[in-house]
Amino acid sequence: KYPELLADFPEEAMGVLGRNCRRMSSELQLKLTEALTVLCARKALPVVSVCEVLFRVLAVADKKVRRLAAASALGAIKRFNAHTVNQEANRRLQRGLAVYLHGQDTRAGRIAINFFVELYRRKMWDDDH
C-alpha cells in the first residue's frame, strides 16, 4: 500500500528542494540532497531534472551541502554519459549551469567552472560530439 501512497514522493521532494533550498535549514538541505541523489541513482527521477535542482543548491550557504550537491550532480552526469552522450540533455545542463557563471554568487560560479572543466577534460562536454 505504501508504494501507492508515496508514488509522487520523488517529484515532491525535488520540487520542495528546488523551490525552497535557500530558506531551509542546513540539515534539511543535506537530507533532501542525499534523498535526490539516491532517487536519481535508482532511476526514480530523470538525471537532467535532478541536476537542475542540484545546481540551485550550489548557491546555498552551507559548504557541506554545496559539496554534496556538486559531487552528486557531477557523478550523475558522468553516469548519464557513461555509455552514450546525449547532446540535447547535455546542452540543457550546460545552459542551466551557465547561469551561475554570470550570476552574483562567486562560490557557485567557481563550482560551475569546475564542472565545465572536469566534464570537458573527460570528453563528455566537448564540441566533438
Side-chain angles (χ1 to χ4, degrees):
K1 182 168 176 164
Y2 82 90
E4 294 139 13
L5 293 173
L6 296 177
D8 296 332
F9 174 75
E11 291 84 11
E12 289 175 8
M14 188 169 58
V16 167
L17 184 61
R19 287 187 305 272
N20 304 306
C21 64
R22 292 183 186 210
R23 293 183 291 238
M24 293 178 173
S25 69
S26 296
E27 294 171 5
L28 187 56
Q29 290 169 346
L30 188 65
K31 293 303 177 189
L32 280 174
T33 302
E34 289 171 350
L36 285 186
T37 302
V38 170
L39 289 168
C40 182
R42 294 188 178 191
K43 297 180 178 26
L45 290 171
V47 173
V48 175
S49 300
V50 171
C51 286
E52 288 173 343
V53 171
L54 292 175
F55 293 160
R56 286 188 216 126
V57 176
L58 296 177
V60 300
D62 190 309
K63 187 175 187 176
K64 190 175 181 181
V65 174
R66 283 195 317 266
R67 282 188 176 174
L68 176 63
S72 299
L74 191 59
I77 293 169
K78 287 177 186 176
R79 284 190 307 275
F80 179 68
N81 287 302
H83 302 293
T84 59
V85 177
N86 183 337
Q87 284 296 69
E88 183 179 333
N90 282 332
R91 294 284 181 233
R92 184 173 161 194
L93 288 169
Q94 289 169 359
R95 282 191 302 272
L97 197 55
V99 170
Y100 296 100
L101 295 176
H102 305 292
Q104 298 295 321
D105 189 357
T106 57
R107 290 181 304 214
R110 279 195 305 264
I111 294 170
I113 289 170
N114 290 340
F115 263 84
F116 281 108
V117 168
E118 175 69 17
L119 293 169
Y120 178 81
R121 188 176 64 78
R122 292 183 179 267
K123 299 188 184 328
M124 291 181 189
W125 282 5
D126 59 8
D127 293 335
D128 293 341
H129 292 96

